């Protein structure tokens, strides 16, 4: 089998063209003010990073104010604990009973119209919830002065 001379010449030329005939890559530019170039073969990631400029401080902001417009200020703490502590459980009214994931919850309304959602163990005024059924809620009322501790049961109104 004889090889054609032009085919062999073409193969040799292709091999010679792919063998390192390209010039080396230029060195990366030097950072301003350093005066030194990175060593050959060093990557750009090895150079120290340039810190970004910090923004200048602007004029001070005016103080924030809140205009309530007849509503409760959301930035003041709520003081329900003192109000609920003076509440007498005997003046409260059972409005409803709801079955929740953790058990039944009683919907109790105070004489001033504020509603409370209570579960067993919660305190309301001078009492602590001991049991809740589908129509009643029972409180253990703490003793005052010479009185004894008692229990009080509120029932749903049957209207």
């Amino acid at each position: 089998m004889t090889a054609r001379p032009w085919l062999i010449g073409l193969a040799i030329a292709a091999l010679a063209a792919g063998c390192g005939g390209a010039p080396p890559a230029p060195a990366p530019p030097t950072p301003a003010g350093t005066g030194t170039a990175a060593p050959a073969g060093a990557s750009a990631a090895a150079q120290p990073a340039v810190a970004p400029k910090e923004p200048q401080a602007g004029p001070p902001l005016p103080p924030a104010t809140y205009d309530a417009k007849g509503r409760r200020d959301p930035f003041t703490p709520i003081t329900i604990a003192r109000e609920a502590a003076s509440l007498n459980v005997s003046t409260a009214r059972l409005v409803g009973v709801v079955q929740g994931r953790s058990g039944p919850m009683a919907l109790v309304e105070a004489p001033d119209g504020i509603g409370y959602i209570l579960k067993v163990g919660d305190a309301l005024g001078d009492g602590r919830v001991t049991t809740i059924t589908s129509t009643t809620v029972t409180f253990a009322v703490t003793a005052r002065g010479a009185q004894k501790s008692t229990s009080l049961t509120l029932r749903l109104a049957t209207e």
Side-chain angles (χ1 to χ4, degrees):
M1 190 173 195
T2 62
R4 296 192 175 153
W6 62 271
L7 186 60
I8 294 174
L10 183 62
I12 292 174
L15 287 173
C19 292
T30 61
T34 60
T36 60
S43 66
Q47 294 179 358
V50 178
K53 289 185 179 179
E54 291 293 324
Q56 295 181 0
L61 297 174
T65 59
Y66 175 75
D67 185 16
K69 296 182 183 175
R71 297 177 297 229
R72 183 186 69 81
D73 185 358
F75 303 108
T76 59
I78 299 174
T79 56
I80 293 177
R82 282 185 269 151
E83 295 170 5
S86 65
L87 178 67
N88 189 353
V89 177
S90 63
T91 60
R93 178 172 76 100
L94 181 62
V95 178
V97 176
V98 181
Q99 183 64 38
R101 288 183 180 173
S102 62
M105 294 184 285
L107 308 173
V108 177
E109 185 179 2
D112 58 358
I114 296 176
Y116 299 93
I117 301 172
L118 304 171
K119 60 183 182 284
V120 174
D122 287 348
L124 178 67
D126 59 350
R128 182 170 299 280
V129 178
T130 56
T131 58
I132 300 174
T133 66
S134 61
T135 58
T136 63
V137 60
T138 303
F139 291 92
V141 181
T142 57
R144 288 189 182 176
Q147 296 177 347
K148 295 181 183 179
S149 296
T150 63
S151 67
L152 173 72
T153 301
L154 300 177
R155 299 186 189 286
L156 273 175
T158 54
E159 295 179 291

